[in-house]
């Protein structure tokens, strides 16, 4: 359990050797217009990591927001493309190698960023043959320089074990799953730790469904923070990479302002005890 003073400058090192920002902006359920403006505001606020997907239909606007900022007077630190960490995800696994390679190239073209920092299989849907064929295409895209690191999303224990048993040339660097105090995902966390796979936490705020829970309220008061800050800090102290989403500039700043307090071990345990297996959106982790 980490006790670092986290900030937007905090990074984690992936098994691929690449550094990834430990606090990123999730772009799920954002319109193209919202994604473009939120990305720009976030960059102005110090965010350097952004999580999109083919399913979100905002890859083009997310990339445009990044490019707009890089070439604007607001870029006072003169950051460059290499300073940005951009993630997107494959819509559907396929047994067609060429279909996956084509889809990856389409995502690169859509964002206009030249390459993708992290490309994920969005789900395990499609069955074993499709999952393994898709991963081979990702490996080749990495070797071709189209993407820098590869990973998976919503993979359960069996899916991770299946992929690792296939002896991949390149192991997945990330598994992105729903993860928060109300769904602690202990078994998936254990298998990811076994293989050195970094965990990204989507819906780290449980989509605001439990913000008024008595324990969340009491600990927020104790630490003089918001419920969102408390839940993000919980995620960070476990070494996860949370992806809080907001289209409001003040919330972008607030969600990242978590370096000034530390949750005690006893209170981390209290938060762990809130686990109820809450699923706020979908749960493909048991897909065949």
């Amino acid at each position: 359990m980490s006790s670092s003073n986290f900030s937007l400058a905090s990074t984690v090192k992936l098994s691929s050797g690449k550094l990834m920002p430990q606090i990123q902006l999730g772009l799920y359920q954002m319109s193209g217009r919202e994604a473009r403006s939120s990305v720009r505001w976030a960059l102005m606020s110090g965010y350097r990591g952004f999580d999109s997907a083919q399913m979100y239909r905002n890859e083009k606007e997310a990339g445009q927001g990044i490019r707009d900022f890089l070439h604007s007077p607001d870029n006072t630190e003169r950051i460059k493309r290499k300073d940005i960490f951009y993630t997107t995800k494959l819509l559907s696994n396929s047994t067609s190698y060429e279909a996956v390679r084509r889809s990856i190239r389409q995502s690169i073209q859509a964002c206009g960023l030249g390459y993708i920092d992290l490309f994920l299989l969005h789900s395990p849907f499609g069955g074993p043959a499709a999952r393994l064929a898709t991963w081979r295409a990702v490996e080749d895209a990495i070797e071709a320089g189209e993407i820098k690191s590869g990973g998976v999303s919503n993979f359960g224990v069996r899916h991770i074990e299946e992929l690792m048993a296939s002896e991949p040339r390149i192991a997945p660097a990330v598994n992105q799953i729903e993860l928060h105090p109300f769904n602690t995902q202990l078994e998936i966390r254990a298998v990811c730790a076994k293989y050195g796979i970094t965990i990204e936490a989507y819906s780290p705020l449980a989509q605001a469904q439990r913000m008024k829970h008595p324990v969340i309220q009491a600990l927020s008061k104790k630490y003089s923070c918001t419920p969102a800050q408390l839940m993000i800090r919980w995620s960070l102290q476990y070494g996860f990479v949370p992806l809080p989403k907001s289209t409001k500039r003040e919330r972008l700043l607030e969600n990242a302002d978590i370096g000034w307090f530390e949750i005690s071990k006893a209170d981390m345990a209290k938060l762990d005890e809130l686990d109820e297996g809450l699923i706020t959106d979908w749960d493909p982790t048991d897909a065949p």
Side-chain angles (χ1 to χ4, degrees):
M1 194 179 299
S2 174
S3 60
S4 300
N5 290 321
F6 300 102
S7 73
L8 287 171
S10 300
T11 59
V12 295
K13 189 172 185 178
L14 302 178
S15 60
S16 63
K18 305 297 183 182
L19 292 177
M20 178 170 71
Q22 196 166 1
I23 305 173
Q24 300 187 36
L25 180 65
L27 305 180
Y28 179 48
Q29 293 181 331
M30 287 193 194
S31 68
R33 183 176 180 180
E34 287 173 331
R36 185 172 181 176
S37 60
S38 294
V39 163
R40 187 181 177 92
W41 290 337
L43 282 163
M44 291 172 65
S45 303
Y47 282 81
R48 297 294 181 261
F50 302 93
D51 182 80
S52 185
Q54 294 173 355
M55 182 187 291
Y56 302 169
R57 298 185 178 181
N58 57 23
E59 291 176 300
K60 178 180 178 181
E61 293 83 359
Q64 187 64 57
I66 292 169
R67 299 197 314 274
D68 286 349
F69 177 81
L70 292 178
H71 297 99
S72 77
D74 294 321
N75 184 9
T76 55
E77 296 182 21
R78 298 183 180 179
I79 65 170
K80 299 179 180 179
R81 166 66 183 94
K82 65 181 178 63
D83 301 311
I84 306 295
F85 195 97
Y86 175 76
T87 300
T88 193
K89 310 178 198 71
L90 182 71
L91 179 62
S92 301
N93 298 325
S94 174
T95 54
S96 170
Y97 170 92
E98 288 301 330
V100 176
R101 289 299 301 276
R102 184 166 55 250
S103 187
I104 292 170
R105 295 186 187 110
Q106 288 171 346
S107 280
I108 295 170
Q109 183 176 14
C111 70
L113 297 174
Y115 61 88
I116 292 166
D117 294 279
L118 178 63
F119 190 84
L120 307 178
L121 279 58
H122 205 152
S123 80
F125 290 144
R131 287 192 289 270
L132 297 179
T134 297
W135 187 252
R136 286 194 292 273
V138 170
E139 290 176 318
D140 285 352
I142 292 172
E143 292 183 345
E146 296 169 357
I147 58 184
K148 301 299 183 183
S149 300
V152 296
S153 181
N154 296 297
F155 268 43
V157 172
R158 182 169 51 82
H159 308 125
I160 295 289
E161 292 286 10
E162 169 193 272
L163 179 53
M164 298 308 294
S166 74
E167 299 183 352
R169 285 175 288 136
I170 302 173
V174 165
N175 187 16
Q176 186 182 123
I177 55 175
E178 176 167 354
L179 184 57
H180 44 73
F182 298 91
N183 190 353
T184 58
Q185 303 275 23
L186 293 179
E187 292 183 357
I188 297 176
R189 285 161 57 182
V191 77
C192 287
K194 175 182 174 182
Y195 293 113
I197 299 171
T198 297
I199 295 178
E200 286 189 316
Y202 73 74
S203 298
L205 309 181
Q207 296 201 24
Q209 293 182 21
R210 296 291 187 273
M211 293 297 197
K212 295 184 179 180
H213 189 283
V215 173
I216 296 295
Q217 288 290 312
L219 291 180
S220 297
K221 184 176 181 180
K222 176 178 178 178
Y223 290 103
S224 300
C225 66
T226 67
Q229 289 171 326
L230 181 77
M231 294 173 76
I232 292 169
R233 181 79 200 196
W234 174 88
S235 189
L236 292 167
Q237 285 187 208
Y238 270 122
F240 310 141
V241 178
L243 307 168
K245 169 234 172 180
S246 182
T247 58
K248 298 179 180 179
R249 191 170 185 178
E250 60 273 17
R251 288 283 175 81
L252 292 174
L253 291 166
E254 184 179 272
N255 287 344
D257 183 21
I258 37 64
W260 49 274
F261 71 100
E262 180 180 349
I263 305 171
S264 70
K265 287 186 178 181
D267 288 337
M268 288 290 284
K270 286 181 182 178
L271 289 168
D272 292 345
E273 290 170 0
L274 298 178
D275 185 19
E276 58 179 270
L278 176 67
I279 301 298
T280 63
D281 198 322
W282 65 332
D283 181 20
T285 59
D286 60 353

